């Protein structure tokens, strides 16, 4: 059961998590000890174990959640504003820029590997991230359908799922090759397909009116 924290307690916990994330990003999860986090954040051992009674494993899960949240924050405000084709292209550019800057070192991937991907806590973090990400894309598609910019017969949930799968595949290949080509292809082909579908519907409607 999660303990309720005061506002000051929440701020201290968040500071520890952010400090641990910074250490892990700089040195790698295998090299970071609790003592390093304590030194970075200016906290005592007692304070650290007050907020993370189970020690390093609990802290790593908290950092993994922090990094998962950051994946979505790095795409804002574009991800929450997929309301026009320029907005979709701006989101596409932001996403590619984010992963190009990240390169072959993925903090979240390293953290989940360390904590065990099959552990319930790790699975919950990944599931939550993917659900929030896919839902944002679904909302963008449905908005574009409401304005006639995406064909009404498009299954928003399935297209969003396929696009997210393509993004994840592109990121996985980036980690192996150091290139964003596959990520860009997945984004471009899906966006182009959605735009082309709307143009076809528009052409059919014009012909039917003649």
């Amino acid at each position: 059961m999660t303990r309720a924290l005061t506002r000051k307690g929440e701020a201290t916990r968040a500071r520890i998590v952010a400090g641990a994330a910074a250490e892990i990003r700089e040195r790698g999860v295998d090299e970071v000890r609790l003592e390093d986090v304590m030194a970075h954040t200016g906290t005592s051992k007692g304070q650290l174990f007050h907020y993370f009674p189970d020690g390093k494993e609990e802290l790593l899960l908290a950092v993994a959640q922090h990094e998962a949240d950051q994946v979505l924050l790095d795409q804002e405000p574009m991800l929450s504003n997929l309301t026009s084709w320029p907005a979709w292209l701006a989101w596409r550019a932001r996403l590619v820029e984010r992963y190009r800057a990240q390169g072959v070192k993925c903090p979240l991937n390293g953290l989940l590997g360390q904590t065990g991907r099959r552990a319930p806590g790790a699975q919950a973090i990944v599931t939550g991230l993917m659900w929030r990400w896919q839902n944002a894309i679904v909302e963008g598609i449905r908005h574009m359908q409401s304005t006639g910019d995406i064909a009404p017969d498009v299954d928003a949930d399935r297209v969003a799922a396929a696009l997210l799968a393509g993004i994840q595949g592109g990121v996985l290949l980036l980690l192996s090759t150091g290139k964003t080509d596959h990520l860009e292809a997945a984004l471009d082909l899906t966006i182009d397909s959605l735009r082309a579908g709307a143009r076809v519907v528009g052409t059919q409607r014009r012909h039917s009116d003649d």
Side-chain angles (χ1 to χ4, degrees):
M1 181 177 178
T2 304
R3 294 165 300 167
L5 296 175
T6 64
R7 183 173 298 179
K8 182 178 179 181
E10 289 176 351
T12 300
R13 186 183 186 279
R15 179 166 56 82
I16 294 171
V17 171
E23 284 286 320
I24 290 168
R25 278 178 171 267
E26 181 178 347
R27 301 168 56 188
V29 64
D30 294 328
E31 300 299 322
V32 174
R33 304 168 302 161
L34 291 180
E35 290 79 4
D36 300 318
V37 177
M38 290 157 53
H40 185 104
T41 59
T43 53
S44 66
K45 187 174 183 180
Q47 280 182 302
L48 193 147
F49 277 90
H50 172 74
Y51 295 106
F52 303 98
D54 293 332
K56 187 174 183 179
E57 182 176 350
E58 185 178 359
L59 176 58
L60 289 180
L61 279 175
V63 175
Q65 183 63 66
H66 170 85
E67 293 291 358
D69 294 340
Q70 196 62 47
V71 169
L72 299 182
L73 287 172
D74 287 347
Q75 299 175 55
E76 296 296 354
M78 289 76 172
L79 181 60
S80 296
N81 189 41
L82 298 174
T83 56
S84 67
W85 289 123
W88 277 77
L89 295 177
W91 168 63
R92 179 256 188 223
R94 171 65 64 85
L95 192 61
V96 171
E97 178 187 15
R98 180 210 187 275
Y99 281 106
R100 186 175 288 145
Q102 175 185 282
V104 298
K105 294 183 179 180
C106 175
L108 183 58
N109 187 61
L111 283 160
L112 293 176
Q114 182 73 12
T115 58
R117 293 181 183 277
R118 295 182 181 179
Q123 286 185 333
I125 289 170
V126 174
T127 300
L129 169 61
M130 296 304 156
W131 182 86
R132 288 184 291 156
W133 200 343
Q134 182 173 326
N135 190 57
I137 298 171
V138 168
E139 289 183 2
I141 293 173
R142 288 179 177 162
H143 177 89
M144 297 288 279
Q145 287 177 313
S146 73
T147 58
D149 292 299
I150 290 179
D153 60 347
V154 167
D155 188 327
D157 291 293
R158 285 181 62 82
V159 171
L163 177 53
L164 184 55
I167 292 170
Q168 290 303 297
V171 172
L172 183 61
L173 287 163
L174 165 65
L175 297 179
S176 301
T177 66
K179 297 180 179 180
T180 60
D181 299 24
H182 300 87
L183 172 62
E184 294 182 61
L187 289 163
D188 292 342
L189 288 173
T190 303
I191 293 172
D192 288 347
S193 176
L194 289 171
R195 298 184 77 168
R199 287 195 293 269
V200 169
V201 171
T203 301
Q204 290 173 340
R205 286 176 177 170
R206 285 193 297 272
H207 288 323
S208 67
D209 293 337
D210 293 340

